[in-house]
Amino acid sequence: MRLMWARKLGLMMAVAGFCAAAVSSAQNATSAYDAAKHVFRLDGGDVTYAFGVNREGQLQTVYWGARLRADDPLNQPAPMGRPFELTDTPQEFAGWGGGLTTEPSLKITFPDGNRDLVLHYLSHQVRGNEIEVTLKDIEREIYVTLHYKMDGQTGILKRSAEVTNKTHSPLVVEEMQAGSWNLPRSSKYSLHYLSGRWGGEDQLQTRSVSAAETVLESRRGFTGHEFAPWFAISENGAVTETAGKIWFGALAWSGSWRITVQQDELQQVRVTGGFNPFDFAYPLEPGQSLRSPEFYGGFAAHGYEEMSHLESEFQRAQVLPQAPHPRLRPVLYNSWEATEFRVSEEGQEQLAEKAASIGVERFVMDDGWFSTRKDDHAGLGDWYPDPDKFPHGLKPLIARVHALGMDFGLWVEPEMVNENSDLYRKHPDWIIHFDGRPRTQARSQFVLNLAIPEVRAYVFGVLDKLLSENQIAFLKWDANRNWSEPGWPQMAADRQKMIYVRYIENYYSILRELRAKHPHIEIESCSGGGGRVDLGVMRYTDEVWTSDNTDPFDRLSIQNGFSYAYTPQVMMAWVTDSPNWYNHRMTSLTYRFLSAMQGSLGIGADLNKWTPQDFATAKQMIAEYKAMRDVVQHGTLHRLASPQDGSNFAATESVSPDERKAVVFAFLHSEQMQYPAPVVHPRGMREDAVYTVRALGGNLEAGTPPKASGAYWMNHGFSFRLEGDYAAAAAIFEAQP
Ligand code: DGJ
């Protein structure tokens, strides 16, 4: 369908009434402005987004949904309010003022006590796939520039806003959002979001959108485990994996954030997102600006699966640091669950030898390698190898890892410091704190205040030195606690709350500079499991740690939730020991592999405990994964049977971009009364191609043909023979030449 629109680009240039139409042919996206109606329009993928200026000068959403014909009429923006209401207008970006009672995008306090801000259209620029609109307060020299950029492949629109103080006095920004997404008016929507906690991330939640506001947020300084900065809104009852309309979006911010979903009294639904306004205050001197986080929004006309596919495609092509063609993730080994803090040169080399023997491509030494780190009470902040554990530094271990044919990765937690560390003894004021108040510890550590220039320089310097002196290919960047007492005593009292923005900007700038100076480096974003997963950090990190919960059964629902918002390419999943450390569940090595192979595969088991049979199984599964990882990481995901809500059977399918390869993973929780496993109907194959099938890690039901057409597999389906508890198998389909 996307190609169909590409062919119509010519027509777009001749849109009746639309002047200043601009086509970004490379991107297959267009932007246009209809001066007669005062309406702007962006088209990309299968999506049209339109907004315009009403007669009061407010910027109002006009349309967001499936792509319209170029000559389809768009409504004239409606006048504001009804007789007794001032605030009904579905504004793109509303200042708090003029009687606004719905969520504002910007709230300012001026030094004279005025807090009224009414933003009206001033000017615009339309170019390529981008539109910029400038709004201005009706009286004061406050300017807001709204940025819109449409992605030609997916129709995902990137929005952000920048406020500039052109008055002669300082002011305080108390709320700064990227803007609002206004949906077509309806009282029949459902909101989907991801909630969780440490060890239980990304649980998919659904609730109806009613006359109330739902707040998804983090007040933790970081992205947090509690909610993902992502939403999807579907038409009630009409939406399945493969059918129905969905509007979705994600915020690119790794600090305290907020997304509100509000149905107002006219049953208009608006989603507003940006910096969390809780405890927020950002002073702007004359001439200064503040830019909101970027907020991405998309539309899918054909169900959740299409939504996930668009997000995945967009993240790989537009967001990740190696975009538009991020390389396939290597199979890694991580030492954490095997050794915890008890690392040593000899012990790591032993693990490395075993990891290499099964086909691992990257060996990662986790926590415990530095300073006096024997447990989590000491050492954070002092980033030199522990001389007892590594008497000759890291080089001998790295050399051994290289000799074994793997590259080397290292765990770091650069934003943190233990009370028991040289760094804290020297610089107790470098942490986030309020003078004279208790300093709350979590996991025996404090958070360094990256907003302080010296702290930023120290953290960058430590990492730069490690990367300059050692051949390190990969950093696992961890952050194992949230903020508390968010003070910045080195700053004037009225400027301390800038920490919420400055910290994260400096965090991003360290990642950016490290990558620029060490272009070969790859980075994983980790925060006590999946506490820092968002589109902001994904611009600088190649993968994310999904959860510390590595139980392969629990992971099915965590990974399922994750897949609604993020690409499987970045979803790290390890094969660890059984019983699992988190919940003591016993599962077979095959089950563990098949669960982890749905994302980016890692091994986190204690290889010293493995039997020869375990090594043989692992070697085979890793070889199979390498042969299918392009399909899993870059293909299209189909959720065939959900693991949620106590489901006894779960299945996913990944199909290669050319539709010639597919792999189906299936998991039975427990066999009951000898019921056979359900029939699985794969999707996304070519109907007329002939595919062979073979089972991996288990068996197909007796009588399954060795080959048949795509139409056969999709319509007739097939089933696995799954017996006992925690049984799993995969089916690999390949089209005949
Ligand atoms: C939390 C991470 O999520 C784990 O994988 C591990 O790296 C530990 N931190 C190390 O302290």
Side-chain angles (χ1 to χ4, degrees):
M1 197 180 289
R2 245 164 262 133
L3 283 175
M4 184 176 91
W5 284 109
R7 282 195 287 276
K8 290 190 177 172
L9 278 175
L11 182 62
M12 286 298 304
M13 295 297 289
V15 180
F18 270 88
C19 330
V23 179
S24 171
S25 52
Q27 299 251 336
N28 180 21
T30 61
S31 60
Y33 173 59
D34 178 347
K37 286 185 174 167
H38 222 347
V39 166
F40 302 90
R41 173 174 172 160
L42 291 140
D43 294 85
D46 294 338
V47 178
T48 296
Y49 189 89
F51 56 96
V53 183
N54 68 8
R55 68 173 184 227
E56 289 85 6
Q58 294 170 320
L59 206 59
Q60 188 181 98
T61 310
V62 169
Y63 176 78
W64 183 24
R67 193 154 180 166
L68 302 176
R69 279 176 54 105
D71 53 358
D72 277 337
L74 284 166
N75 284 349
Q76 192 97 32
M80 69 188 276
R82 292 165 292 142
F84 300 104
E85 294 297 333
L86 301 167
T87 61
D88 293 333
T89 311
Q91 293 190 63
E92 290 278 299
F93 188 95
W96 186 67
L100 188 83
T101 52
T102 52
E103 277 302 335
S105 290
L106 179 61
K107 181 175 185 307
I108 288 179
T109 291
F110 294 91
D112 60 359
N114 171 45
R115 304 188 308 284
D116 185 56
L117 181 75
V118 177
L119 297 167
H120 283 176
Y121 166 85
L122 180 70
S123 62
H124 71 263
Q125 278 190 31
V126 175
R127 55 168 189 274
N129 56 339
E130 296 186 55
I131 294 178
E132 270 182 20
V133 178
T134 301
L135 311 175
K136 182 187 168 300
D137 178 57
I138 49 174
E139 178 248 341
R140 301 195 173 198
E141 297 294 299
I142 300 299
Y143 294 81
V144 178
T145 302
L146 307 181
H147 302 265
Y148 297 82
K149 184 173 181 185
M150 176 59 91
D151 178 50
Q153 279 303 112
T154 61
I156 290 181
L157 182 62
K158 177 166 85 172
R159 293 178 58 184
S160 66
E162 186 167 17
V163 56
T164 305
N165 176 11
K166 292 192 182 170
T167 72
H168 298 294
S169 312
L171 53 82
V172 179
V173 176
E174 291 171 344
E175 174 159 358
M176 181 74 198
Q177 308 291 305
S180 291
W181 302 96
N182 294 290
L183 274 69
R185 185 159 51 239
S186 165
S187 60
K188 299 205 167 21
Y189 284 126
S190 295
L191 168 68
H192 313 278
Y193 59 99
L194 299 173
S195 73
R197 61 189 162 81
W198 174 78
E201 292 86 340
D202 297 321
Q203 299 303 297
L204 185 66
Q205 311 288 347
T206 298
R207 59 161 62 182
S208 70
V209 178
S210 55
E213 180 163 283
T214 302
V215 178
L216 311 175
E217 66 172 351
S218 163
R219 296 183 178 187
R220 296 161 177 258
F222 296 143
T223 320
H225 297 77
E226 212 171 351
F227 299 105
W230 171 87
F231 74 91
I233 294 179
S234 63
E235 289 185 317
N236 272 354
V239 183
T240 65
E241 283 292 330
T242 54
K245 292 181 183 152
I246 304 166
W247 294 260
F248 56 91
L251 206 52
W253 187 243
S254 310
S256 290
W257 58 270
R258 192 186 69 167
I259 294 174
T260 58
V261 180
Q262 183 180 46
Q263 188 197 86
D264 69 18
E265 55 197 10
L266 284 187
Q267 297 182 326
Q268 299 174 131
V269 174
R270 57 172 67 70
V271 183
T272 309
F275 299 128
N276 195 325
F278 178 82
D279 198 39
F280 190 87
Y282 198 95
L284 283 185
E285 297 295 324
Q288 289 184 338
S289 303
L290 174 65
R291 188 155 181 165
S292 75
E294 279 153 355
F295 203 176
Y296 297 93
F299 171 79
H302 307 105
Y304 304 120
E305 222 162 77
E306 184 182 70
M307 170 189 75
S308 296
H309 178 59
L310 293 171
E311 290 168 330
S312 192
E313 198 172 308
F314 181 75
Q315 289 160 21
R316 289 199 315 272
Q318 301 293 332
V319 178
L320 289 172
Q322 294 178 6
H325 302 297
R327 77 178 187 109
L328 294 169
R329 301 285 73 224
V331 176
L332 65 72
Y333 178 82
N334 179 290
S335 65
W336 174 244
E337 289 197 25
T339 61
E340 295 197 337
F341 301 97
R342 298 176 304 278
V343 299
S344 67
E345 189 177 308
E346 199 193 342
Q348 293 293 298
E349 285 187 8
Q350 270 173 19
L351 287 171
E353 280 155 21
K354 292 178 172 138
S357 77
I358 51 175
V360 165
E361 297 159 306
R362 168 169 291 167
F363 182 84
V364 184
M365 177 161 63
D366 209 278
D367 201 348
W369 60 269
F370 52 96
S371 176
T372 55
R373 188 88 165 158
K374 309 273 182 289
D375 53 33
D376 58 14
H377 288 82
L380 288 174
D382 305 336
W383 296 103
Y384 56 86
D386 178 340
D388 293 336
K389 296 173 180 172
F390 297 94
H392 310 290
L394 298 177
K395 288 198 170 65
L397 172 61
I398 296 176
R400 183 73 191 120
V401 167
H402 287 166
L404 289 163
M406 300 179 290
D407 68 24
F408 181 78
L410 191 66
W411 178 95
V412 287
E413 196 179 3
E415 299 151 274
M416 302 289 161
V417 65
N418 284 116
E419 189 171 18
N420 184 3
S421 68
D422 292 341
L423 184 68
Y424 189 72
R425 281 183 281 276
K426 198 164 163 203
H427 295 292
D429 290 343
W430 275 14
I431 67 163
I432 298 179
H433 72 288
F434 291 117
D435 271 346
R437 301 290 303 171
R439 299 168 171 214
T440 301
Q441 297 199 24
R443 210 194 189 205
S444 308
Q445 65 198 54
F446 302 117
V447 185
L448 289 169
N449 185 355
L450 275 198
I452 300 173
E454 295 80 15
V455 178
R456 186 219 175 273
Y458 174 80
V459 169
F460 177 80
V462 157
L463 296 170
D464 183 34
K465 186 166 183 290
L466 271 172
L467 297 184
S468 302
E469 291 177 353
N470 301 287
Q471 282 192 55
I472 295 171
F474 171 82
L475 287 178
K476 174 178 173 183
W477 181 312
D478 204 346
N480 282 298
R481 59 159 293 178
N482 298 133
W483 297 12
S484 58
E485 298 94 22
W488 183 358
Q490 293 88 338
M491 274 297 226
D494 61 351
R495 304 180 72 76
Q496 288 195 20
K497 291 179 182 172
M498 293 168 92
I499 191 171
Y500 289 107
V501 177
R502 291 283 175 86
Y503 181 112
I504 303 299
E505 282 177 352
N506 280 353
Y507 164 64
Y508 288 152
S509 77
I510 293 173
L511 289 165
R512 202 165 39 234
E513 260 183 64
L514 278 179
R515 294 197 80 109
K517 196 161 172 203
H518 306 277
H520 66 280
I521 194 75
E522 293 189 341
I523 304 176
E524 176 178 300
S525 171
C526 170
S527 177
R532 187 136 75 183
V533 182
D534 62 79
L535 266 57
V537 76
M538 277 167 62
R539 288 179 302 212
Y540 306 107
T541 54
D542 307 86
E543 59 189 49
V544 301
W545 182 223
T546 316
S547 176
D548 278 350
N549 182 348
T550 53
D551 169 60
F553 173 71
D554 281 4
R555 269 299 184 105
L556 297 180
S557 65
I558 294 173
Q559 294 177 175
N560 176 63
F562 188 102
S563 76
Y564 278 81
Y566 306 113
T567 172
Q569 154 113 21
V570 302
M571 186 180 75
M572 288 308 299
W574 299 347
V575 173
T576 57
D577 289 315
S578 176
N580 185 270
W581 77 275
Y582 183 83
N583 57 14
H584 313 294
R585 182 173 281 119
M586 310 265 294
T587 50
S588 69
L589 188 56
T590 298
Y591 186 100
R592 283 174 266 153
F593 260 102
L594 293 172
S595 172
M597 284 160 74
Q598 296 171 95
S600 176
L601 179 66
I603 314 295
D606 185 351
L607 303 182
N608 295 320
K609 293 189 188 140
W610 273 15
T611 64
Q613 180 55 49
D614 290 337
F615 280 102
T617 303
K619 197 169 176 177
Q620 187 214 349
M621 292 305 247
I622 290 173
E624 292 279 6
Y625 180 74
K626 287 177 181 169
M628 68 167 73
R629 70 179 147 190
D630 58 330
V631 181
V632 171
Q633 295 180 23
H634 291 175
T636 305
L637 178 71
H638 301 273
R639 289 174 288 253
L640 302 182
S642 168
Q644 266 202 282
D645 305 324
S647 157
N648 195 40
F649 178 76
T652 68
E653 179 198 11
S654 298
V655 181
S656 62
D658 66 1
E659 297 163 353
R660 299 188 61 80
K661 278 206 263 179
V663 54
V664 176
F665 296 94
F667 304 86
L668 181 74
H669 176 265
S670 46
E671 185 182 351
Q672 292 164 25
M673 271 85 63
Q674 284 194 351
Y675 282 120
V679 176
V680 173
H681 295 272
R683 298 195 275 268
M685 293 173 154
R686 294 187 187 180
E687 296 211 335
D688 50 2
V690 172
Y691 295 82
T692 57
V693 65
R694 69 184 170 88
L696 174 66
N699 295 302
L700 301 173
E701 202 54 83
T704 307
K707 62 178 177 186
S709 68
Y712 172 91
W713 295 119
M714 293 190 289
N715 296 323
H716 179 280
F718 70 100
S719 49
F720 293 94
R721 195 161 74 240
L722 296 173
E723 291 162 348
D725 295 344
Y726 302 116
I732 296 167
F733 294 89
E734 276 174 284
Q736 298 285 279

